[in-house]
Amino acid sequence: MEQTKQRSFPRIEFTDSEAGALEFPSSKSRSYNYYKPAKLRATMYEDVTVDVQPDPERHLTQGWIYGFGDGPGGYPKEWTAAKSSNWHAFLDPNEEWNQTIYRNNSAVVRQVDLGLQNAKRARAYDAWNPAWLKFVERNLGAWMHAENGLALHVFTSIQRSGPTNMINTAVAVNAAHKMRFAQDLALFNLDLAEAEVEFDGSAHKEVWQSAPEWQPTREVVERLTAVGDWCELLFATNIVFEQLVGSLFRTELVMQIAARNGDYLTPTIVGTGEHDYDRDLAYTRNLFRLLTRDEQHGETNKVLFGEWLTTWVPRCLAAAQALQPIWSQPADKSVTFADSLDAAKQKFRSLLEDLGLDIPKELDK
Amino acid sequence: MSRQSLTKAHAKITELSWEPTFATPATRFGTDYTFEKAPKKDPLKQIMRSYFPMEEEKDNRVYGAMDGAIRGNMFRQVQQRWLEWQKLFLSIIPFPEISAARAMPMAIDAVPNPEIHNGLAVQMIDEVRHSTIQMNLKKLYMNNYIDPAGFDMTEKAFANNYAGTIGRQFGEGFITGDAITAANIYLTVVAETAFTNTLFVAMPDEAAANGDYLLPTVFHSVQSDESRHISNGYSILLMALADERNRPLLERDLRYAWWNNHCVVDAAIGTFIEYGTKDRRKDRESYAEMWRRWIYDDYYRSYLLPLEKYGLTIPHDLVEEAWKRIVDKGYVHEVARFFATGWPVNYWRIDAMTDKDFEWFEDKYPGWYSKYGKWWENYNRLAYPGRNKPIAFEDVGYQYPHRCWTCMVPALIHEDMVTEKVDGQWRTYCSETCYWTDAVAFRGEYDGRPTPNMGRLTGFREWETLHHGKDLADIVSDLGYVRDDGKTLIGQPHLDLDDPKKMWTLDDVRGNTFNSPNVLLNEMTDAEREAHIAAYKANGTKAVA
């Protein structure tokens, strides 16, 4: 008879190693004690984020142990011209960590997915007029490239360079938002191409690469990816480009006119991108407010940000102006380009005022 | 989503990239590799629409298990011997994880393949997940385990501790220097593909045997993301192999990455598994046996060896030498003894070994007792304060070791130590390969060709230098490794919490001056140094009194 191998397993042993089993020095020390939380009690976000990226100015005694061929390793503060007397003071108001990232984005995925399924079931695309189909085909199609470019070559890139874990993690989540949104637009485009309507699913490539109205936008996106200073890159993207071009297109155009052109689905999808930007602007605003209000460096930072505005506002305004023709493409033209641009400029002004920055004169032209 | 629609969706997503004409992305992190001739290789396909719900589901399982562990009083059956080592491990590992996220744009900058860019960006989010989920596990331990001291100062302790620094190079190696060396060969091709097997699979197995089923829950969930990362790494490796000019760099980096990973990971995980367990069943695998399965068979034979068909020279000699160090030269046992020697400057407690442990070690590593048994008996004898100093300051036939300048694990296999004057300073190395890493590989020129992007070894690499000539009590105090009564040390050479007299205080360790072996070495005359090195090497790994 074949002998079966005797099963072997570790023994359970009751060790009474629970909290409170004994009293001894530090037996009640049940909170992270190496940083001061912003409020009385540490949040989950703070506990899992603060000081995970060490800093020679805090607890790191041996310094960074690897360097680059041409400079120090780690996260040198010199990787941006902006200065802070305490970069660690920045905390993400969205308190993003593992659970929030997946909960929030999964909720968006479900929302988008339900919308797409319902639209298919209701043959919603059949009711779209040809002008609107063309508008989505060309313009939403072009815009998804911008979102993807920012995801991969702006936000993913920035999160290597910030001097604290809190900054880099907030930006990494921003990158995830952009990537998901770009892909959602692309897959929406795929659905439309497969629906029984006049929709060219490949037109977006040509529009983004060559259509005159989109070239200044593409130029700004490409120039953004070429910026080496991480803080300038974040400022130029989330403060300037997103306000003058991103919100202009998404908030002031697509969200305003889609429903009037018989399309209830596009605002649902683009609305998720709007929601993302709302959150991403919140952390960006917090960071730059911290920098402009810094007692030691606030004034020099304001001068620096003024210079960045001088570079990026004209470029973004040029991109915005070039987009003007697309306002006349839909059948129902319920908003004018001038009104949309005014609204975007007004929000941009109030953001700059909030940051304590001078309003660039180009905005009044 | 069906496979067909996934393929279609993935093809659609690839349409999102374009060839820039106005400006190209800044190259913030350079590489000496070239990808001009590289064919574009696809990594594993992943789209965000399926990625987020998949990870959310994985998270839900993890957090459900965490709730269950608390409701089921898991800590009634957790072995303190095991969980104490988690104070060290979980202080280290969230940093390499988050560093892996930070490394992704370096690889994106270096590799001209939009297909891979997507995969790398998804990996970035995974790594944020891993880092924060691990920090959360540690928080749960701090809240529910009998002794929270050490967990409570975790990131500070990681940043100022001699063992934390050994682990830190694992993360810093991902984010510094040549983008491909760091973010591809070191991180993905070696660390993730080879050593996460012992980190995230073998070690959690041991945790479960010691009553802790949360570590396996979290780390198996983490490990389930690794296959995508391995796929990213392999795709870039194949692209690099397409250009003959990359071959010497690949061979250099495989040698460095393999050896450094072995030095660091085998030191730490080997110690946790062998010396952190109470499970001494004879049919339980030893670390050497696990290594044979997970590293030698699964990685070396199945992953590295097939690369030879591309004409790449694989570091067979270093694989064999790593095996020899683990099996014949007592590498893990030496590291465990070193950690235990340094207990006053630890932020975790180390249990003594018992007769049952001795028997198991002798069975798995014949000859173990004659080399290490007496020392552990001394460790046990000197466990309480009052009549003796900490073991490092008692004569138990153990010489405090020289630190390896490269991997920062000490030169514990004395006969293998290399001593050279490099950059105007006498430095010690645990091995020829670590010497080569500093003196040859991490330089601006390699094999007659310029390598301006290669990293450099920097920082205060010998931890002991920072504390040279100081009193041990002042060092412990400066590090902050003191409990909330202001005098009892966090680190203790035993697990007894029930009797305050058994707990060492600052007063008990005062009066012992701590010196840096490297500072002393550099103060010696040539003759003194030669004699010192000869004596050190002669001591070998032989039996101690």
Short mmCIF file of all heavy atoms in Angstrom, two decimals, chain A residues 295-323:
data_model
loop_
_atom_site.label_atom_id
_atom_site.label_comp_id
_atom_site.label_asym_id
_atom_site.label_seq_id
_atom_site.Cartn_x
_atom_site.Cartn_y
_atom_site.Cartn_z
N GLU A 295 6.68 83.13 4.50
CA GLU A 295 7.20 84.35 5.10
C GLU A 295 8.58 84.71 4.57
O GLU A 295 8.91 85.87 4.37
CB GLU A 295 7.28 84.19 6.63
CG GLU A 295 5.93 84.41 7.28
CD GLU A 295 6.03 84.55 8.78
OE1 GLU A 295 7.13 84.81 9.30
OE2 GLU A 295 4.97 84.38 9.42
N GLN A 296 9.38 83.71 4.35
CA GLN A 296 10.75 83.96 3.92
C GLN A 296 10.87 84.14 2.40
O GLN A 296 11.59 85.01 1.93
CB GLN A 296 11.61 82.77 4.37
CG GLN A 296 13.08 83.09 4.47
CD GLN A 296 13.86 81.83 4.87
OE1 GLN A 296 13.31 80.89 5.45
NE2 GLN A 296 15.14 81.81 4.54
N HIS A 297 10.16 83.32 1.65
CA HIS A 297 10.37 83.31 0.19
C HIS A 297 9.15 83.77 -0.61
O HIS A 297 9.20 83.76 -1.84
CB HIS A 297 10.73 81.88 -0.25
CG HIS A 297 11.93 81.32 0.43
ND1 HIS A 297 13.20 81.80 0.19
CD2 HIS A 297 12.06 80.33 1.35
CE1 HIS A 297 14.07 81.11 0.94
NE2 HIS A 297 13.39 80.22 1.66
N GLY A 298 8.08 84.14 0.06
CA GLY A 298 6.84 84.45 -0.64
C GLY A 298 7.01 85.49 -1.74
O GLY A 298 6.53 85.30 -2.87
N GLU A 299 7.72 86.56 -1.44
CA GLU A 299 7.84 87.64 -2.42
C GLU A 299 8.66 87.20 -3.63
O GLU A 299 8.30 87.49 -4.77
CB GLU A 299 8.44 88.90 -1.77
CG GLU A 299 7.48 89.59 -0.80
CD GLU A 299 6.07 89.83 -1.39
OE1 GLU A 299 5.97 90.34 -2.52
OE2 GLU A 299 5.07 89.47 -0.72
N THR A 300 9.77 86.50 -3.39
CA THR A 300 10.57 86.03 -4.54
C THR A 300 9.80 85.00 -5.36
O THR A 300 9.90 84.97 -6.59
CB THR A 300 11.91 85.39 -4.09
OG1 THR A 300 11.74 84.82 -2.82
CG2 THR A 300 13.05 86.35 -4.08
N ASN A 301 9.02 84.20 -4.66
CA ASN A 301 8.21 83.23 -5.40
C ASN A 301 7.19 83.94 -6.29
O ASN A 301 6.96 83.53 -7.43
CB ASN A 301 7.47 82.30 -4.43
CG ASN A 301 8.38 81.22 -3.86
OD1 ASN A 301 9.41 80.88 -4.44
ND2 ASN A 301 8.01 80.70 -2.70
N LYS A 302 6.60 85.00 -5.76
CA LYS A 302 5.60 85.73 -6.57
C LYS A 302 6.25 86.30 -7.84
O LYS A 302 5.65 86.27 -8.91
CB LYS A 302 4.99 86.86 -5.75
CG LYS A 302 3.94 86.40 -4.75
CD LYS A 302 3.34 87.62 -4.08
CE LYS A 302 2.47 87.23 -2.92
NZ LYS A 302 1.95 88.38 -2.19
N VAL A 303 7.46 86.83 -7.67
CA VAL A 303 8.17 87.36 -8.85
C VAL A 303 8.40 86.22 -9.86
O VAL A 303 8.17 86.36 -11.06
CB VAL A 303 9.51 88.00 -8.43
CG1 VAL A 303 10.33 88.40 -9.66
CG2 VAL A 303 9.25 89.20 -7.53
N LEU A 304 8.84 85.08 -9.32
CA LEU A 304 9.11 83.92 -10.18
C LEU A 304 7.84 83.47 -10.90
O LEU A 304 7.83 83.23 -12.12
CB LEU A 304 9.65 82.77 -9.32
CG LEU A 304 9.93 81.46 -10.05
CD1 LEU A 304 11.14 81.62 -10.97
CD2 LEU A 304 10.20 80.33 -9.03
N PHE A 305 6.74 83.38 -10.16
CA PHE A 305 5.49 82.92 -10.78
C PHE A 305 5.01 83.94 -11.81
O PHE A 305 4.39 83.58 -12.81
CB PHE A 305 4.41 82.67 -9.72
CG PHE A 305 4.79 81.63 -8.69
CD1 PHE A 305 4.13 81.56 -7.47
CD2 PHE A 305 5.82 80.72 -8.93
CE1 PHE A 305 4.49 80.61 -6.51
CE2 PHE A 305 6.19 79.78 -7.98
CZ PHE A 305 5.53 79.73 -6.77
N GLY A 306 5.30 85.22 -11.54
CA GLY A 306 4.98 86.26 -12.52
C GLY A 306 5.72 86.01 -13.83
O GLY A 306 5.18 86.16 -14.93
N GLU A 307 6.98 85.61 -13.70
CA GLU A 307 7.77 85.29 -14.91
C GLU A 307 7.17 84.09 -15.63
O GLU A 307 7.11 84.06 -16.87
CB GLU A 307 9.23 85.00 -14.53
CG GLU A 307 10.00 86.23 -14.10
CD GLU A 307 11.31 85.88 -13.42
OE1 GLU A 307 11.75 84.72 -13.50
OE2 GLU A 307 11.88 86.79 -12.78
N TRP A 308 6.77 83.10 -14.87
CA TRP A 308 6.15 81.92 -15.49
C TRP A 308 4.84 82.30 -16.20
O TRP A 308 4.55 81.79 -17.28
CB TRP A 308 5.89 80.84 -14.43
CG TRP A 308 7.15 80.21 -13.89
CD1 TRP A 308 8.42 80.34 -14.39
CD2 TRP A 308 7.28 79.36 -12.74
NE1 TRP A 308 9.32 79.63 -13.63
CE2 TRP A 308 8.64 79.01 -12.62
CE3 TRP A 308 6.37 78.84 -11.81
CZ2 TRP A 308 9.13 78.18 -11.59
CZ3 TRP A 308 6.84 78.01 -10.80
CH2 TRP A 308 8.20 77.69 -10.69
N LEU A 309 4.11 83.21 -15.58
CA LEU A 309 2.87 83.67 -16.23
C LEU A 309 3.20 84.37 -17.54
O LEU A 309 2.52 84.19 -18.56
CB LEU A 309 2.10 84.62 -15.31
CG LEU A 309 1.38 83.98 -14.12
CD1 LEU A 309 0.86 85.05 -13.16
CD2 LEU A 309 0.22 83.09 -14.59
N THR A 310 4.27 85.16 -17.53
CA THR A 310 4.68 85.87 -18.75
C THR A 310 4.98 84.89 -19.87
O THR A 310 4.73 85.15 -21.04
CB THR A 310 5.93 86.74 -18.46
OG1 THR A 310 5.66 87.52 -17.32
CG2 THR A 310 6.30 87.60 -19.64
N THR A 311 5.55 83.76 -19.52
CA THR A 311 5.87 82.75 -20.55
C THR A 311 4.61 82.02 -21.02
O THR A 311 4.40 81.84 -22.22
CB THR A 311 6.84 81.69 -19.96
OG1 THR A 311 7.97 82.36 -19.45
CG2 THR A 311 7.25 80.67 -21.02
N TRP A 312 3.79 81.60 -20.07
CA TRP A 312 2.75 80.63 -20.40
C TRP A 312 1.40 81.24 -20.74
O TRP A 312 0.63 80.63 -21.51
CB TRP A 312 2.61 79.60 -19.28
CG TRP A 312 3.84 78.74 -19.21
CD1 TRP A 312 4.88 78.87 -18.34
CD2 TRP A 312 4.20 77.68 -20.11
NE1 TRP A 312 5.86 77.94 -18.63
CE2 TRP A 312 5.46 77.20 -19.71
CE3 TRP A 312 3.56 77.08 -21.21
CZ2 TRP A 312 6.12 76.16 -20.38
CZ3 TRP A 312 4.21 76.05 -21.87
CH2 TRP A 312 5.47 75.59 -21.45
N VAL A 313 1.08 82.41 -20.19
CA VAL A 313 -0.24 82.99 -20.50
C VAL A 313 -0.37 83.30 -22.00
O VAL A 313 -1.37 82.91 -22.63
CB VAL A 313 -0.52 84.21 -19.61
CG1 VAL A 313 -1.74 84.99 -20.11
CG2 VAL A 313 -0.75 83.76 -18.16
N PRO A 314 0.61 83.97 -22.61
CA PRO A 314 0.45 84.24 -24.06
C PRO A 314 0.31 82.95 -24.89
O PRO A 314 -0.49 82.89 -25.81
CB PRO A 314 1.73 84.99 -24.43
CG PRO A 314 2.22 85.56 -23.14
CD PRO A 314 1.83 84.58 -22.08
N ARG A 315 1.09 81.94 -24.53
CA ARG A 315 1.01 80.69 -25.29
C ARG A 315 -0.38 80.06 -25.15
O ARG A 315 -0.97 79.57 -26.13
CB ARG A 315 2.04 79.68 -24.77
CG ARG A 315 3.46 80.03 -25.17
CD ARG A 315 4.44 79.04 -24.56
NE ARG A 315 5.80 79.40 -24.91
CZ ARG A 315 6.88 78.83 -24.40
NH1 ARG A 315 6.75 77.86 -23.51
NH2 ARG A 315 8.09 79.20 -24.78
N CYS A 316 -0.88 80.08 -23.92
CA CYS A 316 -2.19 79.44 -23.70
C CYS A 316 -3.32 80.29 -24.31
O CYS A 316 -4.30 79.73 -24.82
CB CYS A 316 -2.42 79.20 -22.21
SG CYS A 316 -1.31 77.93 -21.56
N LEU A 317 -3.17 81.60 -24.25
CA LEU A 317 -4.20 82.45 -24.88
C LEU A 317 -4.21 82.24 -26.39
O LEU A 317 -5.27 82.21 -27.02
CB LEU A 317 -3.95 83.92 -24.55
CG LEU A 317 -4.45 84.38 -23.16
CD1 LEU A 317 -4.06 85.83 -22.91
CD2 LEU A 317 -5.97 84.20 -23.02
N ALA A 318 -3.01 82.07 -26.95
CA ALA A 318 -2.94 81.82 -28.40
C ALA A 318 -3.64 80.50 -28.74
O ALA A 318 -4.36 80.40 -29.74
CB ALA A 318 -1.48 81.79 -28.85
N ALA A 319 -3.42 79.51 -27.88
CA ALA A 319 -4.08 78.21 -28.11
C ALA A 319 -5.59 78.36 -27.99
O ALA A 319 -6.35 77.80 -28.79
CB ALA A 319 -3.56 77.18 -27.10
N ALA A 320 -6.02 79.14 -26.99
CA ALA A 320 -7.46 79.36 -26.78
C ALA A 320 -8.06 80.05 -27.99
O ALA A 320 -9.10 79.63 -28.53
CB ALA A 320 -7.68 80.17 -25.51
N GLN A 321 -7.40 81.10 -28.44
CA GLN A 321 -7.91 81.87 -29.60
C GLN A 321 -8.03 81.00 -30.84
O GLN A 321 -9.00 81.10 -31.60
CB GLN A 321 -6.99 83.06 -29.91
CG GLN A 321 -6.96 84.14 -28.84
CD GLN A 321 -8.26 84.97 -28.78
OE1 GLN A 321 -9.15 84.78 -29.61
NE2 GLN A 321 -8.36 85.84 -27.79
N ALA A 322 -7.03 80.12 -31.00
CA ALA A 322 -7.04 79.28 -32.21
C ALA A 322 -8.23 78.33 -32.22
O ALA A 322 -8.67 77.88 -33.28
CB ALA A 322 -5.72 78.49 -32.29
N LEU A 323 -8.73 78.02 -31.03
CA LEU A 323 -9.86 77.07 -30.95
C LEU A 323 -11.19 77.71 -31.34
O LEU A 323 -12.21 77.02 -31.48
CB LEU A 323 -9.96 76.50 -29.53
CG LEU A 323 -8.88 75.50 -29.12
CD1 LEU A 323 -9.00 75.15 -27.63
CD2 LEU A 323 -8.97 74.22 -29.95
#
